[in-house]
Amino acid sequence: MLEQAFRPFLEALNQTGNLRHIDGEFMNPEELFQTDILTKLDATFRGMYAIFLYDLKNDQGITAYLHSGSVGSDSTSRVLVLYEKAPRSRRNNTMADLGITVHEENPAVAFARDLFPSKPLMLPGVLLLRRISHASDAVYVPLEGKQEAVAARARQLFAQLPATIDGADFSTSTFGERVGKALDLAHIPYQRSEPLTVSDYLRKFLLLVWKHKRDLMAIVPVLGKAVHGAGKNGDD
Amino acid sequence: MALDQLVAAALLQYRAFGLLADEAHPAFKDDLTHFISAHGDPLVRAFSALSRSVPRQALAGLPFLLHSNNTAPHAPPGGYFDDQTPIELGKLLTSRYIFWAMQHNPDAALAVVFYLLRATLYVLHTRGFDTSVRYLLDLRKHGYLLNSSSLNHCLAFLFLVRQRVSSDDEIVPLCIAGQPHSAADWYNAELLPVDLQALPVLREAAEGMAYLVQTAGTDIDEVRASQSYDDWILGQHYLGSLMLTVHFILRYLNMDEEPAFRAFDVRYEEICADCFAFYHILRGEPERYPFEARFTASYGVIKAVEMGGGDWQNRLCDERVLVPDQLADLLLPSDGTINLQLEEASIPPAWRLLSSAVAPVYANLVVRNPDYRSLARVVKMNTNAASAPPDIRYFLRSMRQEPENEHLRGQLLDFYPYCDRWLFVEARYLDRRGDPSAAMARLQQAISIDPTDHSRWKSMSVILRKFGDERAADRLAGFARTLRNGRATAQ
């Protein structure tokens, strides 16, 4: 699926009715988060989230993979993917230009530290979540190395994911347990968290990114309704 | 080599007509007749006379559509130009205006869709589904299609058919009878009726839709990255209609509520509104010199965005097409101010005015002023005071007295940039001074404004000879004679 900027996507998701404004549908971020937009996101997408956490300037393998465009075809229709990307506009600054030290204040690093306070995460990697606006356990998979290694690992990982949620009974095993089991079988190293609610941290992460005139990119799966009969055969 | 510019200018002029002409305007028929007699026909005849001497670089990568195999018996009905495409430029241009006339004839509406679909299916057959979608958009982008109705029809049909086959390879056999063996066979291929209701839906429309949405996004980026005012004007006209096409297809396929496409839909709708506002402003500012780039019309929107607060400039530049990338630093400096009234000297030359290839078409279709060549432009001189431009006759008289006065020469073209008589004089002057390349550039401008004057073609042949292109020079000299004799017998 195609890539799009996350902020206009959330604004459009929040929009109701056909009223349009001359200045566009830009929203002040505080105003946007006063609505229950993240709950709405959870309600719209029944799959899972994959958030790539990395440093755009220093983690070259993962940067190259995310900029190559193949993540959109690797990620399957069960996963909504989020990641930072070097912006198109000459107006946007890269984090590197802001003169902040990467290990202390990179928004992705701060976000990772908030989520896993006891066991520091080794970035870069990808965080898997079932829900954002209410408690869910998170699974973190490190993605180190050159572009080929990152791409191979990411493809291997994405291939495991649909089976962990399709028809799953989460009352007998949690999301983290199911994903962990699949990753164990595939020999993919990972780290699990206690159940946590990501929305506050994600909000903080996004506000920081937006404040620096940056945005996350989203690969949004299509829900689809045009196919008659079973709706679950449209994986790609 | 030297003819490259002329070919590029001619192609640009055709593109400009296709995009700027309003097919619903009551004067459309006259507009087309005028374009053919004043530009199309003399250019076609010149290129036909030049025959194989026409350089083909400017054609590379452009889309083409042929509705009849008389144009080029060995060429397929549609595709993109490469070195080997066996189509002569003169014949291509003729077939283009025949196709325009066809689009204006209500009785030929079905035939137009038929030709379009056949060419598109050929592209699908040879280069795949996504390229066939891109091809349809490119025909509109390059002015083959005067409006989007046939384009929308074909796109919708392609998407619906695609949902009803399990592989793209099945689309062509479903729509075309028999199996055309050669490219030329395609002209006789029969289009089969496809009963969409009777075929079950096997696939989501989303995949093809995602490509359409994405490729429309690359067009948006391309227009924003325009390198000249020509590109910007033509790009805005194309984008307005492209955004409507995407809007239509999203709804036609019930994809407009799909969350993955919502943000695109919202944004494209805004861009569409901006394009049409621009379109009306261009046509409704009688007091301004109509060929100069101006951005003051964006002020209202930019101001409104600013008042909305936040990182407005940033998102305006990222999400809308109000400000070209090349001028963004000038128009919206990074200190947060808005500076839409630019100093002439600060604007890159390609952004100051429409080129002489686009200006004649624009003058006729948008400004509707046939006397644009003697229309004076207000130029800020070094003193900073805008002085009233002297009468054009004053200039021509003074120049006869002082032919070497460089200051006067420069001023004349500042005030009257499309004075083709003077461009021609200037070309001959530059040639005498021993600068054939500069002379050629001026001649190309003079010819773009009026290609019916045989003496300009004669001069061009003289300069081609200096470049050592004897064959092209002979052919062009022959054409200049025919043009002169034709005029003599017509009078």
Side-chain angles (χ1 to χ4, degrees):
Chain A
M1 270 308 291
L2 70 166
E3 173 185 273
Q4 56 185 306
F6 195 44
R7 186 167 165 191
F9 166 78
L10 287 180
E11 287 168 350
L13 190 66
N14 189 49
Q15 206 181 62
T16 46
N18 285 316
L19 189 67
R20 294 283 188 274
H21 307 95
I22 182 176
D23 53 343
E25 308 308 311
F26 304 161
M27 275 182 91
N28 180 326
E30 286 78 19
E31 211 179 299
L32 179 66
F33 284 129
Q34 272 163 20
T35 66
D36 51 359
I37 183 67
L38 295 177
T39 316
K40 203 163 180 179
L41 184 67
D42 276 344
T44 309
F45 294 96
R46 314 307 295 270
M48 66 171 86
Y49 301 90
I51 307 176
F52 282 84
L53 298 176
Y54 73 112
D55 179 57
L56 194 57
K57 188 148 191 249
N58 295 318
D59 298 325
Q60 281 159 8
I62 197 166
T63 304
Y65 170 65
L66 292 173
H67 283 67
S68 73
S70 67
V71 64
S73 45
D74 295 341
S75 61
T76 78
S77 68
R78 294 292 177 276
V79 188
L80 193 154
V81 183
L82 291 172
Y83 52 95
E84 200 186 352
K85 192 180 176 186
R88 183 202 84 85
S89 167
R90 47 156 211 109
R91 283 181 176 275
N92 288 325
N93 308 303
T94 57
M95 285 302 168
D97 296 336
L98 297 175
I100 50 177
T101 43
V102 170
H103 292 289
E104 278 172 26
E105 297 205 43
N106 181 305
V109 176
F111 178 58
R113 195 186 47 226
D114 285 346
L115 291 180
F116 288 72
S118 50
K119 295 174 278 184
L121 293 183
M122 287 300 290
L123 296 195
V126 59
L127 183 74
L128 304 172
L129 294 166
R130 173 89 179 106
R131 303 283 78 182
I132 284 180
S133 59
H134 42 90
S136 141
D137 39 3
V139 178
Y140 177 79
V141 178
L143 289 173
E144 280 164 308
K146 293 193 189 314
Q147 182 183 353
E148 298 74 39
V150 171
R153 174 52 49 89
R155 271 168 213 152
Q156 195 193 2
L157 170 66
F158 281 129
Q160 308 295 327
L161 297 180
T164 64
I165 51 168
D166 284 345
D169 179 3
F170 289 109
S171 60
T172 55
S173 56
T174 67
F175 170 71
E177 285 164 1
R178 293 182 64 93
V179 173
K181 203 165 150 194
L183 297 185
D184 280 337
L185 287 172
H187 304 292
I188 300 175
Y190 65 93
Q191 198 171 322
R192 266 180 59 193
S193 77
E194 298 303 305
L196 50 88
T197 306
V198 182
S199 52
D200 288 340
Y201 304 123
L202 183 66
R203 198 175 292 136
K204 193 173 131 196
F205 180 31
L206 288 173
L207 285 173
L208 190 58
V209 169
W210 293 344
K211 196 177 135 216
H212 290 306
K213 302 185 178 181
R214 307 291 310 263
D215 202 354
L216 298 185
M217 287 292 152
I219 306 274
V220 181
V222 168
L223 304 177
K225 55 186 172 189
V227 173
H228 302 307
K232 283 207 169 173
N233 52 2
D235 253 23
D236 49 22
Chain B
M1 174 68 185
L3 284 170
D4 276 359
Q5 291 170 328
L6 185 72
V7 174
L11 291 168
L12 184 59
Q13 213 156 52
Y14 267 76
R15 179 175 177 221
F17 184 87
L19 284 171
L20 298 177
D22 179 358
E23 198 256 321
H25 195 283
F28 175 79
K29 228 174 164 155
D30 296 335
D31 292 339
L32 180 59
T33 311
H34 174 265
F35 178 80
I36 293 170
S37 63
H39 297 277
D41 186 52
L43 287 171
V44 162
R45 289 169 62 197
F47 291 133
S48 301
L50 280 166
S51 174
R52 284 175 194 284
S53 301
V54 174
R56 297 177 62 89
Q57 291 93 315
L59 285 165
L62 293 183
F64 64 85
L65 178 144
L66 304 177
H67 58 272
S68 144
N69 61 351
N70 294 332
T71 306
H74 302 291
Y80 291 90
F81 272 96
D82 61 32
D83 301 346
Q84 308 300 320
T85 310
I87 306 175
E88 283 177 42
L89 181 58
K91 290 192 169 168
L92 174 80
L93 297 185
T94 307
S95 90
R96 285 192 62 166
Y97 56 68
I98 294 174
F99 195 55
W100 283 333
M102 216 185 286
Q103 291 172 56
H104 187 60
N105 176 1
D107 295 338
L110 258 177
V112 169
V113 171
F114 170 84
Y115 294 133
L116 196 57
L117 196 56
R118 187 178 60 188
T120 307
L121 287 168
Y122 177 78
V123 173
L124 195 159
H125 177 65
T126 50
R127 302 190 49 185
F129 186 86
D130 285 354
T131 310
S132 72
V133 169
R134 186 61 250 176
Y135 171 71
L136 280 169
L137 304 185
D138 280 336
L139 288 176
R140 176 75 181 126
K141 181 175 180 173
H142 289 277
Y144 275 82
L145 303 171
L146 293 168
N147 60 51
S148 304
S149 60
S150 52
L151 162 71
N152 292 351
H153 189 118
C154 282
L155 267 183
F157 176 76
L158 274 187
F159 280 123
L160 292 178
V161 170
R162 191 192 204 205
Q163 285 189 268
R164 288 160 173 81
V165 294
S166 51
S167 140
D168 291 352
D169 299 339
E170 296 166 36
I171 298 175
V172 169
L174 191 64
C175 302
I176 294 270
Q179 285 180 314
H181 291 291
S182 67
D185 276 355
W186 275 78
Y187 288 99
N188 305 316
E190 185 196 342
L191 274 181
L192 298 170
V194 179
D195 186 358
L196 291 167
Q197 301 299 325
L199 296 167
V201 173
L202 306 173
R203 292 199 284 180
E204 285 280 2
E207 211 184 315
M209 201 57 232
Y211 177 75
L212 178 67
V213 165
Q214 182 190 33
T215 197
T218 61
D219 279 327
I220 292 172
D221 288 345
E222 202 177 295
V223 174
R224 238 175 351 203
S226 292
Q227 301 287 309
S228 68
Y229 189 49
D230 283 357
D231 288 349
W232 182 251
I233 288 276
L234 299 182
Q236 290 273 346
H237 279 76
Y238 165 61
L239 271 194
S241 97
L242 174 68
M243 298 294 99
L244 284 180
T245 291
V246 177
H247 182 90
F248 165 76
I249 298 286
L250 274 171
R251 275 152 192 78
Y252 193 77
L253 297 177
N254 278 321
M255 283 275 158
D256 54 316
E257 292 298 325
E258 177 65 50
F261 298 132
R262 278 283 295 280
F264 292 97
D265 193 35
V266 170
R267 176 169 164 241
Y268 290 2
E269 201 175 322
E270 283 163 17
I271 292 175
C272 183
D274 291 341
C275 289
F276 281 97
F278 186 63
Y279 178 93
H280 285 289
I281 285 162
L282 288 176
R283 283 160 179 75
E285 270 197 309
E287 72 287 354
R288 67 171 278 224
Y289 185 75
F291 304 95
E292 263 171 356
R294 279 248 297 249
F295 296 92
T296 43
S298 308
Y299 187 77
V301 178
I302 294 175
K303 202 68 200 165
V305 172
E306 185 188 26
M307 289 191 295
D311 47 1
W312 59 278
Q313 271 199 353
N314 203 45
R315 297 192 62 193
L316 195 78
C317 290
D318 267 3
E319 293 171 31
R320 304 281 278 272
V321 198
L322 291 164
V323 169
D325 287 348
Q326 272 203 334
L327 302 184
D329 280 330
L330 292 170
L331 298 164
L332 299 173
S334 49
D335 62 7
T337 54
I338 306 172
N339 175 33
L340 300 182
Q341 305 237 24
L342 296 177
E343 289 282 330
E344 165 98 10
S346 66
I347 313 172
W351 281 96
R352 288 180 198 162
L353 281 169
L354 286 180
S355 74
S356 42
V358 175
V361 182
Y362 187 85
N364 199 47
L365 298 174
V366 177
V367 185
R368 299 210 169 265
N369 180 355
D371 299 323
Y372 71 101
R373 286 179 279 191
S374 51
L375 207 58
R377 180 168 169 245
V378 178
V379 185
K380 271 194 184 163
M381 288 293 135
N382 296 336
T383 54
N384 235 359
S387 49
D391 187 84
I392 194 162
R393 278 165 303 186
Y394 154 82
F395 268 119
L396 297 174
R397 205 165 45 235
S398 327
M399 221 77 82
R400 261 196 298 280
Q401 289 155 3
E402 296 181 76
E404 301 289 318
N405 186 330
E406 291 294 335
H407 179 67
L408 269 178
R409 305 189 85 86
Q411 264 199 339
L412 176 72
L413 287 179
D414 274 345
F415 285 126
Y416 300 99
Y418 309 113
C419 177
D420 55 327
R421 252 202 310 165
W422 187 252
L423 286 164
F424 183 37
V425 172
E426 192 67 8
R428 283 186 299 186
Y429 172 77
L430 290 166
D431 183 37
R432 276 199 306 279
R433 289 252 311 255
D435 190 348
S437 300
M440 193 69 180
R442 288 283 183 237
L443 258 184
Q444 174 264 306
Q445 288 180 293
I447 287 179
S448 291
I449 293 171
D450 182 8
T452 63
D453 175 2
H454 63 89
S455 51
R456 297 174 193 188
W457 292 104
K458 171 78 180 137
S459 292
M460 190 169 263
S461 92
V462 170
I463 297 178
L464 282 176
R465 214 174 291 284
K466 291 188 181 171
F467 282 120
D469 196 347
E470 294 286 339
R471 206 154 77 144
D474 288 344
R475 287 175 166 170
L476 218 49
F479 166 65
R481 269 195 303 281
T482 328
L483 200 58
R484 187 190 62 202
N485 297 341
R487 170 172 282 193
T489 48
Q491 276 165 359

